[in-house]
Amino acid sequence: MSAKFIPVVDVRHLHTSQVKAPIGAPSGSLLDSLNRPLRDLRISVTDRCNFRCVYCMPKQVFDKNYAFLPHQSLLTFEEITRIAKTFIAHGVEKIRLTGGEPLLRKNIETLIEMLANLKTTSGRDLDLTLTTNGSLLAKKAQSLKDAGLKRITVSLDSLDDAIFKRMNDVDFAVADVLEGIETAHRVGLSPIKVNMVVKGGMNDSEIVPMARRFHGTPFILRFIEYMDVGASNGWKMDEVIPSSEVIRRIHADIPLVEIAPNYAGETASRWRYADGAGEIGVISSVTQAFCRDCTRARLSTEGKLYTCLFSGSGHDLRTLVRGGRSDEEISSTVAQIWRARSDRYSELRTVQTLELKQRTKVEMSYIGG
Ligand code: SF4
């Protein structure tokens, strides 16, 4: 590995002089300075979580003295829905509810009902999904479905309870998360994706057992490269297991065939089992950056707009909402922010940027993954 650079994809295509609306982008799409449309909005509905995953909310930082946000500073469901409508009008087609742990937000079903009725600019149903650690899923799956949730993503970093505990630093049984996944399936949430963050030396021994467990099931297992998110997880490059290595290990056990993405901007690279018994995905922000197709905006729990997972600061929309600004004013503010967006942190990640950003990056638990 060269002293200066962490391996990334080449970025030549980013500097084409001829800026054209990307293929499939409806006319009038809101494009950022790198010609990327605004398609996905991730909304963090709480900064709290009942897990302490070492790559996101390490216990030594998020301890009992940690100052979580007071309730009155959280966006209300009405405020979230109003802001969401502004983003949908700018072309957003998918909303992902995140946290912290979103199922900890009281009456989350009410928000889901409010969002589930919204249509995209092309008249289609909004693609509404949610990412959870699964701890409350067995209990809540039916009410989430009834409220209008379409599909769900569940984080599960191991099948082995001891390794699971090492990853999330709480005492929670793998079996309870698996029961949540099965219940979500039974009530009709689909597709169900299972996300595993792979940290070298901690849970990478679970890559093949997880693949075997979900092989032949309707669940799509995705392996996420360990990322230098936030300023608390003490990230080191040599704890990253590149996705190419994840694929190599699984392929040696259950042969895989690479398949095309479902849509431009999909974060996961897709692989199906050669025997036809399902598919997996790999999300390779560190070794195969995908910034060139990044169509994601993030709204923090207290109403700040972030244009990148690795942003240092956000844009305060809550003050506009609570300050009596009109929808048009909020909408043009969002448009201005997005048009000026030039983020591509993962493509630029170097030892220098790591040190530079280490001090300022927003915590993932505050804006959702
Ligand atoms: S690093 Fe930022 S710009 Fe790149 S894919 Fe992630 S969120 Fe998008």
Side-chain angles (χ1 to χ4, degrees):
M1 176 102 46
S2 68
K4 213 161 132 278
F5 278 89
I6 294 177
V8 293
V9 298
D10 80 41
V11 295
R12 275 166 297 169
H13 63 280
L14 278 176
H15 303 303
T16 53
S17 55
Q18 174 62 25
V19 176
K20 291 191 290 311
I23 296 152
S27 61
S29 262
L30 184 58
L31 302 177
D32 72 7
S33 71
L34 300 176
N35 203 26
R36 299 169 294 188
L38 173 53
R39 280 284 164 280
D40 307 63
L41 177 62
R42 297 184 175 200
I43 302 176
S44 169
V45 296
T46 178
D47 63 339
R48 296 166 192 258
C49 186
N50 52 353
F51 282 13
R52 287 291 177 273
C53 299
V54 292
Y55 50 83
C56 175
M57 278 181 104
K59 202 179 258 180
Q60 61 275 22
V61 176
F62 297 87
D63 58 14
K64 61 181 176 5
N65 306 318
Y66 187 83
F68 289 101
L69 294 167
H71 191 74
Q72 65 277 15
S73 71
L74 305 190
L75 290 180
T76 65
F77 294 162
E78 291 71 21
E79 290 169 336
I80 291 174
T81 306
R82 185 175 170 208
I83 294 174
K85 285 178 180 167
T86 304
F87 280 81
I88 292 169
H90 282 308
V92 160
E93 297 177 345
K94 180 169 104 176
I95 288 184
R96 177 178 296 280
L97 300 178
T98 66
E101 170 49 41
L103 300 188
L104 287 177
R105 178 84 186 248
K106 212 157 159 254
N107 304 324
I108 183 79
E109 292 87 351
T110 306
L111 174 62
I112 290 171
E113 264 166 34
M114 294 160 85
L115 295 173
N117 297 329
L118 303 178
K119 297 279 181 203
T120 68
T121 51
S122 47
R124 283 199 301 266
D125 285 349
L126 182 70
D127 177 10
L128 183 59
T129 185
L130 180 149
T131 300
T132 172
N133 62 23
S135 57
L136 301 167
L137 188 52
K139 207 172 74 186
K140 289 191 131 303
Q142 188 64 64
S143 61
L144 296 172
K145 173 71 178 160
D146 297 345
L149 192 69
K150 306 240 176 1
R151 58 190 183 91
I152 201 161
T153 298
V154 184
S155 306
L156 179 62
D157 296 328
S158 166
L159 294 171
D160 174 284
D161 277 320
I163 297 176
F164 190 46
K165 182 172 169 40
R166 278 219 308 276
M167 289 296 286
N168 62 34
D169 223 352
V170 292
D171 236 339
F172 199 87
V174 170
D176 295 342
V177 177
L178 292 173
E179 192 206 337
I181 293 171
E182 294 296 341
T183 311
H185 180 60
R186 250 195 326 277
V187 303
L189 289 168
S190 174
I192 296 175
K193 297 179 179 175
V194 178
N195 281 359
M196 174 184 175
V197 173
V198 181
K199 186 175 179 187
M202 198 168 250
N203 69 336
D204 61 294
S205 59
E206 288 288 282
I207 291 169
V208 173
M210 286 279 281
R212 286 188 186 147
R213 172 63 181 76
F214 291 104
H215 175 237
T217 73
F219 310 126
I220 301 171
L221 178 58
R222 287 120 52 94
F223 298 89
I224 303 178
E225 285 182 345
Y226 173 42
M227 292 181 284
D228 53 324
V229 288
S232 314
N233 67 8
W235 185 87
K236 294 193 213 72
M237 181 62 197
D238 54 20
E239 291 175 330
V240 174
I241 304 289
S243 293
S244 54
E245 172 59 14
V246 170
I247 296 295
R248 188 194 65 72
R249 291 188 196 183
I250 297 171
H251 184 66
D253 191 71
I254 320 168
L256 292 164
V257 179
E258 187 162 17
I259 50 178
N262 290 306
Y263 56 89
E266 186 171 22
T267 51
S269 310
R270 300 171 64 213
W271 296 74
R272 71 170 173 75
Y273 290 111
D275 63 7
E279 71 172 83
I280 66 165
V282 287
I283 299 176
S284 322
S285 166
V286 179
T287 62
Q288 297 164 44
F290 37 77
C291 301
R292 68 176 164 205
D293 291 324
C294 180
T295 58
R296 290 171 291 283
R298 291 171 169 86
L299 186 65
S300 78
T301 319
E302 57 183 348
K304 286 201 180 124
L305 169 58
Y306 289 80
T307 53
C308 173
L309 177 58
F310 300 92
S311 298
S313 60
H315 308 265
D316 180 7
L317 300 182
R318 186 188 64 193
T319 301
L320 302 181
V321 170
R322 292 185 180 175
R325 296 299 182 86
S326 68
D327 289 346
E328 289 67 31
E329 287 171 302
I330 296 167
S331 174
S332 71
T333 303
V334 169
Q336 236 173 335
I337 294 165
W338 188 261
R339 284 203 188 93
R341 177 191 188 232
S342 61
D343 300 274
R344 52 194 185 95
Y345 175 85
S346 288
E347 281 175 0
L348 299 173
R349 184 189 282 111
T350 65
V351 176
Q352 283 76 12
T353 54
L354 272 178
E355 280 139 14
L356 173 68
K357 281 256 174 163
Q358 196 66 23
R359 284 183 299 282
T360 59
K361 277 181 291 177
V362 63
E363 291 299 339
M364 183 161 79
S365 58
Y366 177 73
I367 57 169

